Amino acid sequence: TRCLMTGAIPTVQSIQLDPSSGSALLSLYFPTQVQAENKRDKPATQSGYQIGKWIWSQNRFKTVSTASSGEVSSAVLHHQHDRDELLVIGGKGARLFAQDGEQSNRFVHLVGSFRPSASITSIDFSRSIEGGPSDRLGSGDRDGNVRVFQRNEQQWVEVSGAAAHLTGQHDASIVSVRFDPTDPNRLVTADEDGKWVAQLEPISGSS
């Protein structure tokens, strides 16, 4: 992936594929932009991270703007009712933004947030064939922990014991957490050492 405007080659932080629209949501890190900003004595995190949609059929990249600033380790689009929401993960926190009604690539209204004890490295929403996306999400962190959260109004609350079968299974940083798209009670995780674990038992506390 190369920035069409500057020619800079970024590090891909995360990818979320959407085959139905022929696009992918990318979160990118541009180290060359950070270096340039540092020379002007400006905060590096203001220009080093970027979120956008890559439409592969047109080989076109469209920038997605958010009210979030600083580090972006991952970004996930989530369709809720009649609008899209964007979950932006950076450092130890995650914030959910609602789509601007007039601009499809603009997410500025904060509708939820949470802040686990360790830095998040991967996250995913559960979904089902019948009900579609839900307000439940799974997260993995740099310490190898896997947790499941349920959204309650504007906050996510950890579902105690939900990922019990994954507790202690990873000794390295989590690189991927994914729910089975056909069953919200099935979860697969993988760490940077190449170990992967599947939780096939029903998630406790699920609705």
Side-chain angles (χ1 to χ4, degrees), residues 169-205:
Q169 295 294 319
H170 293 284
D171 296 322
S173 176
I174 303 297
V175 296
S176 183
V177 174
R178 289 293 178 267
F179 281 97
D180 185 330
T182 65
D183 185 347
N185 287 309
R186 299 179 66 171
L187 183 66
V188 177
T189 59
D191 63 36
E192 63 183 13
D193 287 343
K195 181 179 180 180
W196 64 274
V197 182
Q199 172 165 311
L200 305 181
E201 300 295 326
I203 292 176
S204 61

Side-chain angles (χ1 to χ4, degrees), residues 67 83 96-99 107-112 154:
R83 68 182 183 187
L96 185 70
F97 297 96
Q99 184 180 49
F107 297 81
V108 295
H109 178 58
L110 182 68
V111 294
Q154 290 192 338

Side-chain angles (χ1 to χ4, degrees), residues 6 9 11 23 41 47 99 129 134 152 173 183 186 197 201-202:
T6 67
I9 299 176
T11 298
S23 66
D41 296 322
S47 63
Q99 184 180 49
I129 295 177
S134 74
N152 181 13
S173 176
D183 185 347
R186 299 179 66 171
V197 182
E201 300 295 326

Side-chain angles (χ1 to χ4, degrees), residues 31-124:
T32 54
Q33 289 186 11
V34 171
Q35 294 169 5
E37 288 297 321
N38 285 340
K39 291 178 181 179
R40 293 193 294 270
D41 296 322
K42 293 182 179 179
T45 53
Q46 296 302 312
S47 63
Y49 296 92
Q50 186 175 352
I51 301 172
K53 285 183 180 180
W54 174 46
I55 306 172
W56 58 70
S57 61
Q58 305 173 15
N59 195 26
R60 185 162 60 100
F61 184 82
K62 297 176 65 175
T63 300
V64 172
S65 60
T66 76
S68 180
S69 63
E71 178 187 355
V72 177
S73 60
S74 185
V76 182
L77 271 175
H78 172 58
H79 187 72
Q80 183 70 9
H81 305 305
D82 59 345
R83 68 182 183 187
D84 283 338
E85 295 176 339
L86 179 68
L87 185 65
V88 180
I89 302 98
K92 288 187 176 180
R95 295 194 288 173
L96 185 70
F97 297 96
Q99 184 180 49
D100 188 317
E102 298 180 353
Q103 301 182 53
S104 61
N105 286 331
R106 180 177 168 84
F107 297 81
V108 295
H109 178 58
L110 182 68
V111 294
S113 64
F114 77 109
R115 188 178 179 85
S117 58
S119 296
I120 302 167
T121 52
S122 182
I123 205 160
D124 191 31

Side-chain angles (χ1 to χ4, degrees), residues 4 8 10 25 30 47 85 110 123 125-126 158 164 207:
L4 298 179
L25 181 73
F30 288 87
S47 63
E85 295 176 339
L110 182 68
I123 205 160
F125 283 99
S126 69
E158 184 175 357
S207 56

Side-chain angles (χ1 to χ4, degrees), residues 123-140:
I123 205 160
D124 191 31
F125 283 99
S126 69
R127 57 189 61 80
S128 65
I129 295 177
E130 297 82 9
S134 74
D135 281 331
R136 181 194 302 154
L137 59 86
S139 75

